[in-house]
């Protein structure tokens, strides 16, 4: 499978714990995006990278959230001191760069986080 | 800030009937508009984008800037069209291109 992969697929954690998710994009894609989706809602933009540079971060993202893409390949999203409101599906997507191709985003299967 | 509204959470039609999924947006500039689709047990994927003016799987969508709408249409629905459909918007310039704002989604069910 050469598509976007995400690990783990499911994560159950207790409130206050830290969690980290990983996303492996399609190899030739230099753009990588993180979205969050709660029940009954569409995906909500969190942040995105072009190569290793984090270009934009949503104002909705609290300081407890941090994302990295150290070598411009895979990315990690860490949530510190999880809260029940963090329970959601976390989606990763990748695309080629350049405005004409950046919109054709290929999504991963998502990581479902449940905070108890 | 930009916003996308899909007024129908659920839409049911019979096979062969026309279908229209509504999408309205609010943005003061010139946005790029898209439809993404998620079939059962599959990943979210791009269906079509307005600047391509393509017909994908029989679906078309016209950007109406006066009404700020981007409705998705198909003249004859098929059972395999049953899926969740999301309308999405992106800014067309600056560093935020590619950042998508999604609507809440519409679940389309096509009955035999």
């Amino acid at each position: 499978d050469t598509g976007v992969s995400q690990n783990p697929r499911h994560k159950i954690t207790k409130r206050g714990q830290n969690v980290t998710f990983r996303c492996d994009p399609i190899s030739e894609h230099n753009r990588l995006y993180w979205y969050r989706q709660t029940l009954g809602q569409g995906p909500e933009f969190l942040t995105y990278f072009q190569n290793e540079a984090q270009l934009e971060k949503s104002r909705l993202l609290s300081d407890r959230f941090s994302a990295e893409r150290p070598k411009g390949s895979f990315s990690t999203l860490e949530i510190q001191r999880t809260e029940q409101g963090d329970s959601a599906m976390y989606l990763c997507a990748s695309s080629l760069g350049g405005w004409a191709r950046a919109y054709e985003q290929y999504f991963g299967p998502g990581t479902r986080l449940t905070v108890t | 800030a930009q916003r996308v509204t899909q007024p129908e959470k659920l839409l049911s039609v019979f096979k062969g009937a026309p279908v229209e999924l509504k999408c309205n947006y609010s943005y003061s500039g010139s946005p790029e508009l898209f439809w993404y689709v998620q079939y059962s047990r599959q990943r979210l994927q791009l269906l079509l984008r307005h600047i391509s003016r393509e017909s994908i799987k029989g679906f078309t969508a016209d950007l109406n800037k006066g009404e700020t709408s981007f409705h998705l249409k198909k003249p004859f629905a098929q059972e395999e069209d049953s899926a969740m459909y999301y309308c999405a918007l992106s800014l067309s310039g600056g560093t935020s291109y590619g950042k998508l704002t999604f609507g809440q989604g519409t679940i389309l069910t096509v009955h035999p």
Side-chain angles (χ1 to χ4, degrees):
Chain A
D1 186 2
T2 56
V4 177
S5 62
Q6 292 185 246
N7 288 288
R9 296 291 306 277
H10 304 274
K11 179 71 177 178
I12 300 174
T13 191
K14 292 186 177 179
R15 188 166 47 124
Q17 298 295 304
N18 299 345
V19 293
T20 299
F21 309 141
R22 176 177 169 129
C23 171
D24 287 89
I26 293 172
S27 57
E28 61 266 30
H29 286 180
N30 57 1
R31 279 203 161 208
L32 187 149
Y33 311 81
W34 285 99
Y35 295 88
R36 178 173 62 189
Q37 186 173 24
T38 53
L39 199 62
Q41 300 298 317
E44 178 184 40
F45 171 80
L46 293 179
T47 188
Y48 82 93
F49 294 84
Q50 176 138 328
N51 299 314
E52 64 275 11
Q54 186 173 18
L55 296 186
E56 189 168 339
K57 187 175 175 182
S58 169
R59 284 172 288 180
L60 301 174
L61 215 58
S62 76
D63 291 341
R64 297 184 296 107
F65 287 72
S66 62
E68 293 182 342
R69 194 182 183 196
K71 296 182 180 179
S73 57
F74 72 92
S75 176
T76 57
L77 177 68
E78 181 183 16
I79 309 174
Q80 296 182 329
R81 305 181 303 283
T82 53
E83 302 173 355
Q84 287 189 321
D86 297 331
S87 295
M89 177 75 85
Y90 289 84
L91 294 168
C92 176
S94 69
S95 75
L96 293 169
W99 75 268
R101 302 302 300 272
Y103 307 112
E104 187 168 358
Q105 296 180 19
Y106 292 78
F107 281 79
T111 294
R112 182 168 295 284
L113 173 66
T114 302
V115 182
T116 62
Chain B
Q2 58 270 26
R3 184 183 177 95
V4 177
T5 302
Q6 294 179 249
E8 303 141 327
K9 277 195 175 291
L10 302 170
L11 185 61
S12 291
V13 299
F14 285 100
K15 177 183 174 182
V19 63
E20 181 180 53
L21 290 86
K22 291 184 167 47
C23 172
N24 291 91
Y25 67 91
S26 62
Y27 176 59
S28 56
S30 292
E32 301 278 354
L33 274 296
F34 309 87
W35 280 96
Y36 272 76
V37 62
Q38 187 167 24
Y39 300 102
S40 178
R41 289 185 289 277
Q42 293 188 27
R43 303 176 184 195
L44 193 59
Q45 59 186 289
L46 178 65
L47 179 63
L48 58 79
R49 53 190 295 189
H50 87 274
I51 63 172
S52 298
R53 296 188 173 275
E54 296 173 301
S55 173
I56 306 293
K57 298 184 179 183
F59 284 98
T60 59
D62 290 320
L63 178 60
N64 186 322
K65 292 187 178 180
E67 296 183 357
T68 60
S69 68
F70 188 56
H71 302 328
L72 184 68
K73 300 177 184 179
K74 184 169 183 177
F76 307 104
Q78 303 299 314
E79 289 178 70
E80 55 265 30
D81 297 328
S82 296
M84 171 72 93
Y85 290 81
Y86 293 100
C87 182
L89 173 155
S90 180
L91 307 184
S92 58
T95 58
S96 293
Y97 71 84
K99 167 191 165 184
L100 295 172
T101 299
F102 286 87
Q104 303 95 315
T106 298
I107 299 174
L108 173 65
T109 303
V110 181
H111 300 284

